[in-house]
Amino acid sequence: MNKSMSFFLLGLLFCCCSSSAPSESPSGTPLPTTTPTPLTDTELLDKVQRDSFKYFWDMAHPVSKLARERYLVDDPNYDANIITTGGSGFGLMTILVGIERGFVQRSEAVSRLTTALNFLETADRFHGAWPHWMDGITGNVIPFGTLDNGGDLVETAFLCQGLVCVREYFKNGNATEQALAQKADVLWKGVEWNWYTKGENALYWHWSPNYGWQMNFKLEGYNECLVTYVMAAASPDYNVPAVAYHQAWARNGQIVNSGSQYGFPVIFNHNGANGNVGPLFWAHYSYLGLDPRGLTDQYANYWNVNVNHSKIINKYCIANPQGWNGYSEKCWGLTASYSRNNDGSTGYSAHQPNNDVGVISPTAALSSFPYTPEESFKFLRYLYNEKRDRYVGVAGPYDAFSPHHDWVTKRYLAIDQGTIAPMIENYRTGLLWNLFMQAPEVKTGLQNLGFASTQHGF
């Protein structure tokens, strides 16, 4: 080593060592530290969409390219081979947002989506329906429970909602894109929705080749399952008659509730929360594609259903009847997510006003952006401008936290992360709403069920 190089390295070492010491004024008093400049509202929306997109791009299953059920920051290999059907449907829509926002090249996304749909083509299906969980390498069913080792119609509906959006997005593209659109079309149309009626005027959630209909879970409102009836009514070859929607889902009109909370009508009987509202994912899962703007049937105005649901959860958290530290107009949101058990360990719970354990789930407020933009912005600013180091990780907001218990779980769930980018995009541009609602089968299905849409002209 020559002398000049020695002096250079010595100077570099001095600079590096000096920079780690606190800055001081000439008097020896430490200079005040500067806080990062807060992001603007537009930057915040871009940032949280890009972050949540990473879950479905960077953390996708390496073989199937579909969504992993979960991701634990401190144990990335935990359940690494379990992919989730519904969460993968949300992931398809998140990738479309990623293309629109420039997070990924269109051609690269088309290649990724083609791999994913090729996988779905050969994966286990049960009268056309995919299971809740699949092996990300083989496509074989992974039982969600002892009896739940067959078709899961609700998870399948969430996936099909995404497949319809993929078809509509790429149907007028180049040859490769049109082939992808055609594959999405064939996949969703292969679901035998009418099999899942058991011959009744109702849809049932599960069927197993080993246990048949033993789970016996009839789809009755109100919860997250509305889009299942919409997809079943939209199916060209396996459609379900409108009477199933009215008798089972709408409970012959008993779905309607005249109660209110914090001055907002609840409109529907939320299952398990009569006179109140359930977890906020009920306002998200069916509505990533299904556009509630101006959507009505004989039972409700669906925009009001979801706006009121979101506002009631917001007002509940502000009122904070349980007295949890940290709840406020900028820290709110109750939905199903990871949760804090009484002993401080991590569990899972469907948080709602009737089941409030002091845990906030970021997806609740963020995915409600179309319904409560002002309230959701307050939460987003709090999350990223005040608490980013604490509550945000590599793929966006962690799944759940509790200010009261100074607790945060550094984990992600596909079904929670997967509603953030699509619902924020629906707030910003209506992208997924417009794609889904322009599908002619969806329009026909909705009309057959008695729906009208001022937003989409039918």
Side-chain angles (χ1 to χ4, degrees):
M1 183 184 296
N2 61 39
K3 187 176 289 187
S4 62
M5 181 61 74
S6 298
F7 278 113
F8 172 77
L9 291 174
L10 186 63
L12 185 64
L13 180 63
F14 174 78
C15 290
C16 291
C17 292
S18 300
S19 65
S20 64
S23 300
E24 292 186 350
S25 67
S27 64
T29 306
L31 293 172
T33 57
T34 56
T35 56
T37 304
L39 299 174
T40 66
D41 285 350
T42 298
E43 289 170 337
L44 285 167
L45 292 175
D46 290 344
K47 176 68 173 167
V48 71
Q49 283 186 295
R50 183 186 289 272
D51 284 354
S52 57
F53 165 82
K54 291 176 183 175
Y55 185 89
F56 300 95
W57 194 262
D58 297 347
M59 298 172 180
H61 189 277
V63 176
S64 69
K65 302 302 182 184
L66 292 168
R68 290 177 50 174
E69 165 70 8
R70 68 187 86 244
Y71 184 88
L72 280 57
V73 173
D74 59 354
D75 189 6
N77 293 320
Y78 184 83
D79 278 356
N81 201 41
I82 297 178
I83 59 171
T84 174
T85 296
S88 291
F90 300 165
L92 298 180
M93 290 183 269
T94 297
I95 289 172
L96 298 183
V97 174
I99 298 170
E100 287 291 294
R101 290 284 158 194
F103 304 156
V104 65
Q105 291 293 320
R106 184 181 177 103
S107 59
E108 193 177 358
V110 169
S111 176
R112 172 76 67 97
L113 290 168
T114 300
T115 298
L117 268 56
N118 285 342
F119 180 88
L120 290 171
E121 200 172 34
T122 60
D124 281 352
R125 298 177 75 173
F126 304 87
H127 290 277
W130 288 273
H132 191 128
W133 281 346
M134 288 177 279
D135 183 304
I137 297 172
T138 66
N140 295 339
V141 58
I142 294 177
F144 191 69
T146 302
L147 302 179
D148 192 358
N149 69 340
D152 185 311
L153 198 67
V154 175
E155 292 279 314
T156 294
F158 298 150
L159 175 58
C160 288
Q161 189 176 207
L163 290 169
V164 169
C165 290
V166 168
R167 184 193 75 181
E168 292 298 310
Y169 191 82
F170 292 111
K171 68 182 182 183
N172 296 321
N174 61 36
T176 305
E177 292 173 357
Q178 289 184 33
L180 174 62
Q182 176 63 19
K183 191 175 294 288
D185 187 58
V186 170
L187 285 170
W188 91 262
K189 286 180 177 175
V191 180
E192 297 175 28
W193 306 92
N194 56 356
W195 168 264
Y196 284 82
T197 64
K198 286 204 310 184
E200 302 174 13
N201 290 325
L203 286 172
Y204 282 81
W205 197 313
H206 314 90
W207 178 80
S208 161
N210 307 104
Y211 305 104
W213 303 103
Q214 282 189 43
M215 293 193 70
N216 202 39
F217 198 127
K218 185 187 292 187
L219 300 189
E220 299 174 294
Y222 184 71
N223 54 21
E224 75 272 30
C225 300
L226 174 60
V227 77
T228 315
Y229 278 93
V230 174
M231 297 306 305
S235 173
D237 299 322
Y238 304 103
N239 61 75
V240 171
V243 65
Y245 172 78
H246 296 292
Q247 286 190 10
W249 175 257
R251 301 175 184 262
N252 291 309
Q254 296 302 307
I255 192 173
V256 177
N257 187 290
S258 60
S260 64
Q261 296 287 330
Y262 301 100
F264 297 98
V266 298
I267 301 176
F268 279 150
N269 272 317
H270 288 233
N271 293 344
N274 190 20
N276 210 318
V277 292
L280 257 176
F281 75 90
W282 294 2
H284 306 147
Y285 289 4
S286 278
Y287 302 98
L288 269 68
L290 181 63
D291 187 354
R293 295 175 298 177
L295 186 69
T296 57
D297 66 0
Q298 69 190 72
Y299 308 110
N301 177 310
Y302 288 81
W303 181 252
N304 294 342
V305 168
N306 292 330
V307 169
N308 291 5
H309 190 169
S310 302
K311 285 187 175 290
I312 288 167
I313 295 288
N314 172 258
K315 295 299 184 186
Y316 170 87
C317 290
I318 293 171
N320 191 16
Q322 301 289 339
W324 300 112
N325 294 330
Y327 279 26
S328 70
E329 64 176 9
K330 65 183 181 181
C331 182
W332 66 279
L334 304 179
T335 192
S337 71
Y338 278 119
S339 190
R340 181 187 180 278
N341 297 325
N342 289 334
D343 62 1
S345 62
T346 298
Y348 187 86
S349 190
H351 310 108
Q352 54 183 296
N354 291 341
N355 179 39
D356 174 19
V357 296
V359 170
I360 297 294
S361 312
T363 188
L366 296 176
S367 300
S368 290
F369 245 101
Y371 314 131
T372 51
E374 182 179 342
E375 297 88 340
S376 295
F377 257 127
K378 288 179 181 178
F379 179 77
L380 179 57
R381 294 181 197 118
Y382 165 80
L383 197 63
Y384 271 82
N385 286 337
E386 296 184 40
K387 299 291 185 179
R388 195 183 320 177
D389 291 345
R390 177 72 170 146
Y391 295 147
V392 179
V394 63
Y398 295 127
D399 197 56
F401 63 85
S402 173
H404 183 91
H405 294 287
D406 191 26
W407 173 91
V408 59
T409 185
K410 293 186 176 182
R411 301 182 180 189
Y412 297 103
L413 285 170
I415 52 171
D416 291 344
Q417 223 62 13
T419 55
I420 295 172
M423 287 303 278
I424 289 179
E425 194 59 35
N426 282 333
Y427 162 71
R428 301 179 82 173
T429 67
L431 173 69
L432 287 316
W433 284 343
N434 292 332
L435 288 171
F436 185 76
M437 298 295 281
Q438 76 186 21
E441 304 92 339
V442 169
K443 178 180 176 181
T444 298
L446 286 167
Q447 288 177 311
N448 288 344
L449 296 180
F451 282 87
S453 170
T454 57
Q455 181 72 29
H456 297 279
F458 64 85

